[in-house]
Amino acid sequence: MVTTTDTATTGENDPAVDISLPRGLLIGGDLLTQSSGGTHGHIYPATGQVNATIPLAGATEIDQAVTAGWEAHREWMSFPPARRRELLFDVADAVRENLSQFAQLNTHDYAVPVSYAATAPLLEEFLRHFAGYVDKPHGASTPVSGSFDINLIEREPYGVVGVIAPWNGSLVVAAACVAPALAAGNAVVLKPSELAPFAAIRFGELCSEVGLPAGLVNVVPSGPDGGAALVRHPGIRKIHFTGGTATAREVLREAATNLTPVVAELGGKSADIVFDDADLDLATAISAHQGPLMQSGQSCACASRILVQSSVYDAFVEKFVATVGAANIGDPFDPAVSFGPVISESAADRILGEIDRAVSERAGELILGGNRVGSDRIGDRLAQGYYVEPTVFAAVDNASRLARTETFGPVVSVIRFETEADAVRIANDTSYGLNAFVHTTDLGRTHRVARQLEAGSVWVNHFSDISPQGPYGGYKQSGFGRTGGLEGLHEFLQVKNIRIAMR
Ligand code: TXE
C-alpha cells in the first residue's frame, strides 16, 4: 500500500504543522495520488490558507472503487462471521489508538475546535456495537398456511453501497453508515466532501492496516461530479446520502438512473422549547451549545429556533446572551477555544447576507453579534479566517425567512410563546423535522409534547448525543431512512423470502 502524506502547511508557526495530512484516493487498498477528477486546494478555514492540495475522484476512480468493492465483498462474505466480527473489533481498537490524531485531522478538515473534534470515540462505539450483530440472526422462519413448507425470511447484504458524507462530520457518517454497512456484509465506497477529506482517508487507511480485505472500504474524496458518478454507477446497490436538502433532490434524480434506493439524512430547523418549569441554567447551557456554538451552528441538529415560554422569556434571554457572548473564539487548535470559523468564504458571505436580510425584513431584533469577527478579537494570524460572530435574534416571527430556512451557521432565533399548544404548533410549523429539544421538569408535559413533535429525534433536557442504540433520521424534508439502531443495520440489508416445499 502506498501512503502519500506531506507535512501540513497551515500557516506560519501553526501548532499543527507537525502532523502529516493524508491525501489521495484509497481504492483497493492503495492510496492513489493521481486522478481524473482534478485537484482541490483544501483551505484551512481558520486562516483562509491552503493546507493541502488533494486529488479528486472522477468517474474513472469511482468505477475502479466499485470494482474493487465487489471483489472485496465476495472475499468478506467468504470469511466466517466470527472473523468478520473480530476484524471490526480490530478496526475499533485501531480507532481508539488514534483518537488524538483523528481529532487533529477533523480540525485540519473543517476547523472545528479540537476540544470539540472528538468524533472518533463515536466511530469506535458504533464499530463495536455493529460488530456484535455480525453473528446474530439476520432472518426468521414462519409457518405458511395449509402446508409443512419451510418458509425462510433472510436478510442479505446489497453487495457494494455508496456512502456520501458532508464536510461537517465525515467520521460521524463513517460511524453511522460504514460500520453497519460492513457488519451487514457490504463493501463501501465512501465519498467525503472535498472540503473535509483527511479524517475519512485516515479511517480508510486504518481499515486496510488492520487487515480488512483490500477494497472493502474505499475512500474517494470528490465534489458533486464524483458524487453524481457514484450515485449513477450501476454497481452501486444502495446510496446513503448525508447533506443538504437541495443536494438530496439532485441525488434522487441521479439515483433514478438505476432506481438505486437512497437513505437521506438532511438538514433541519430544529425547535428548542424552554418551558416555564425548566431548569433555566441547564436549558441555557444546552441551548447555547446546541444552537449557535457547536461547530459554529454548522450542524444538521442545530437548535436554530429557540422557543421560550413568556413567563421566563426575559430571564432566559438574559442568561442565554451572556453565555453565547462569552464563547471563547479563536484558534481551533487551542484546547481552550470553543468557537471556530465557518467552513468557507462563501459560507461566511451567505450567513452574513442572511443576517442582513433578517435585519432589513425586521424578522426579529438583533440582540447579539451579526458581524465578522475582527482581528482585535482573534489576532492577525486568523484575521483571514472565516469567523462569523455568534448571532442571536430575539422576538422572531416564525413566518420569517430567518425562521424558515436552514442558515447552517452561528445564527439562532428566539421566539416567544404562551401555551404548551402554541409551542407545539410553532415547533411543527416548518418544512423540516430532524430534531426537537424540550426543556421541562414536568413528566406529563414531557410525554405530551414529545409525542406531538414532528421530528425524528426528540431530546428532553439533553443535547443531540447520538448513539448506536438510537435510530436517527428525519421527518418531512429532513429526509428518510435511519442510521443507528436495528433500523440502521436493516438499511444495509435486503430481504429475501425462501419457501421450500415439503412433499
Ligand atoms: O452538504 P452538501 P454540505 C446537512 C446540513 C447542511 C449540509 C451541509 O444540514 O444542509 O449537510 O453539508 C456531495 N450528487 N447535514 O455542505 O452540499 C458533496 O460533495 C452526489 C445533515 O457538505 O449537500 C458532499 O460530499 N453527491 C446531516 C455531500 O454531497 C453530491 C448532518 C453533501 O454536500 C452532489 C450534517 C450530487 N449532485 C450535515 N452534490 C444529518 N442529517 O445528519 C454534492 N454532493
Side-chain angles (χ1 to χ4, degrees):
M1 179 184 69
V2 172
T3 298
T4 306
T5 53
D6 298 329
T7 303
T9 52
T10 46
E12 291 302 315
N13 307 322
D14 190 296
V17 292
D18 61 350
I19 188 173
S20 62
L21 291 177
R23 70 202 66 183
L25 310 174
L26 190 78
I27 297 175
D30 292 331
L31 197 65
L32 312 182
T33 55
Q34 304 297 323
S35 69
S36 66
T39 60
H40 171 71
H42 179 276
I43 291 176
Y44 176 55
T47 60
Q49 304 298 310
V50 173
N51 61 357
T53 298
I54 60 168
L56 298 179
T60 305
E61 292 74 30
I62 296 295
D63 187 53
Q64 290 169 350
V66 175
T67 301
W70 277 105
E71 283 175 39
H73 160 65
R74 282 186 280 271
E75 183 183 354
W76 184 235
M77 289 308 286
S78 73
F79 290 0
R83 185 167 174 216
R84 295 206 297 273
R85 181 193 62 217
E86 290 312 308
L87 279 166
L88 291 180
F89 282 137
D90 291 348
V91 177
D93 292 344
V95 169
R96 174 179 291 184
E97 288 154 20
N98 290 275
L99 294 180
S100 168
Q101 185 192 35
F102 274 121
Q104 286 202 38
L105 290 175
N106 277 332
T107 303
H108 279 290
D109 267 327
Y110 60 106
V112 57
V114 72
S115 52
Y116 287 78
T119 50
L122 195 72
L123 173 56
E124 178 195 353
E125 187 183 8
F126 271 75
L127 282 164
R128 293 195 194 285
H129 178 84
F130 284 107
Y133 277 118
V134 172
D135 60 348
K136 304 299 181 292
H138 279 186
S141 66
T142 62
V144 283
S145 59
S147 82
F148 292 101
D149 291 2
I150 297 175
N151 192 51
L152 302 177
I153 300 159
E154 299 286 310
R155 292 182 184 274
E156 299 177 342
Y158 281 92
V160 181
V161 300
V163 175
I164 298 175
W167 54 260
N168 72 332
S170 65
L171 292 186
V172 176
V173 170
C177 304
V178 177
L182 295 176
N186 300 285
V188 177
V189 179
L190 171 62
K191 192 209 81 61
S193 169
E194 71 279 22
L195 302 180
F198 306 128
I201 295 169
R202 184 65 194 121
F203 170 64
E205 287 181 329
L206 277 190
C207 290
S208 291
E209 289 163 18
V210 154
L212 293 191
L216 194 71
V217 177
N218 302 280
V219 184
V220 286
S222 69
D225 293 346
L230 180 62
V231 176
R232 288 199 185 101
H233 197 291
I236 289 290
R237 298 290 166 78
K238 181 145 194 187
I239 283 288
H240 194 293
F241 171 77
T242 301
T245 303
T247 308
R249 292 190 177 91
E250 292 297 313
V251 168
L252 292 174
R253 273 190 277 274
E254 293 148 11
T257 310
N258 302 299
L259 297 180
T260 307
V262 175
V263 174
E265 284 273 2
L266 307 182
K269 195 71 182 182
S270 299
D272 175 278
I273 308 172
V274 181
F275 284 104
D276 57 9
D277 57 73
D279 171 338
L280 279 195
D281 290 336
L282 179 62
T284 301
I286 292 174
S287 305
H289 171 75
Q290 194 71 37
L293 299 185
M294 178 177 70
Q295 298 196 155
S296 303
Q298 301 171 114
S299 163
C300 56
C302 177
S304 49
R305 292 185 299 145
I306 300 174
L307 282 54
V308 186
Q309 196 152 23
S310 243
S311 56
V312 295
Y313 183 88
D314 293 340
F316 174 84
V317 169
E318 182 181 352
K319 287 176 182 286
F320 183 71
V321 167
T323 302
V324 173
N328 185 345
I329 303 177
D331 182 344
F333 282 103
D334 176 349
V337 163
S338 61
F339 187 89
V342 296
I343 188 66
S344 64
E345 184 70 38
S346 60
D349 291 342
R350 175 180 57 76
I351 294 162
L352 290 163
E354 290 295 337
I355 291 170
D356 292 345
R357 183 167 178 172
V359 170
S360 63
E361 292 175 351
R362 301 184 189 286
E365 181 193 353
L366 177 60
I367 58 173
L368 183 71
N371 306 294
R372 288 198 78 141
V373 181
S375 57
D376 57 315
R377 193 160 179 190
I378 50 175
D380 294 338
R381 190 168 66 84
L382 304 178
Q384 302 307 311
Y386 313 129
Y387 286 83
V388 176
E389 292 175 331
T391 299
V392 179
F393 283 85
V396 172
D397 177 356
N398 195 54
S400 66
R401 173 186 170 85
L402 176 66
R404 307 199 75 76
T405 53
E406 182 183 49
T407 311
F408 215 64
V411 183
V412 296
S413 302
V414 183
I415 297 170
R416 183 196 292 264
F417 71 88
E418 300 299 331
T419 66
E420 186 179 293
D422 288 340
V424 170
R425 175 180 51 76
I426 296 167
N428 288 338
D429 181 12
T430 173
S431 61
Y432 291 101
L434 192 60
N435 293 273
F437 303 87
V438 180
H439 305 277
T440 178
T441 53
D442 180 321
L443 195 54
R445 168 169 281 165
T446 296
H447 285 281
R448 283 194 308 274
V449 172
R451 282 173 166 65
Q452 295 177 75
L453 291 172
E454 296 172 339
S457 294
V458 179
W459 310 86
V460 180
N461 302 327
H462 208 289
F463 59 91
S464 63
D465 180 19
I466 66 169
S467 68
Q469 292 81 5
Y472 184 85
Y475 280 25
K476 301 192 284 187
Q477 295 193 28
S478 287
F480 40 82
R482 289 294 180 267
T483 53
L486 203 49
E487 294 81 1
L489 178 75
H490 289 170
E491 295 289 4
F492 293 105
L493 291 163
Q494 45 190 346
V495 180
K496 177 181 289 179
N497 183 194
I498 302 169
R499 177 165 167 174
I500 305 168
M502 305 305 284
R503 304 246 183 268

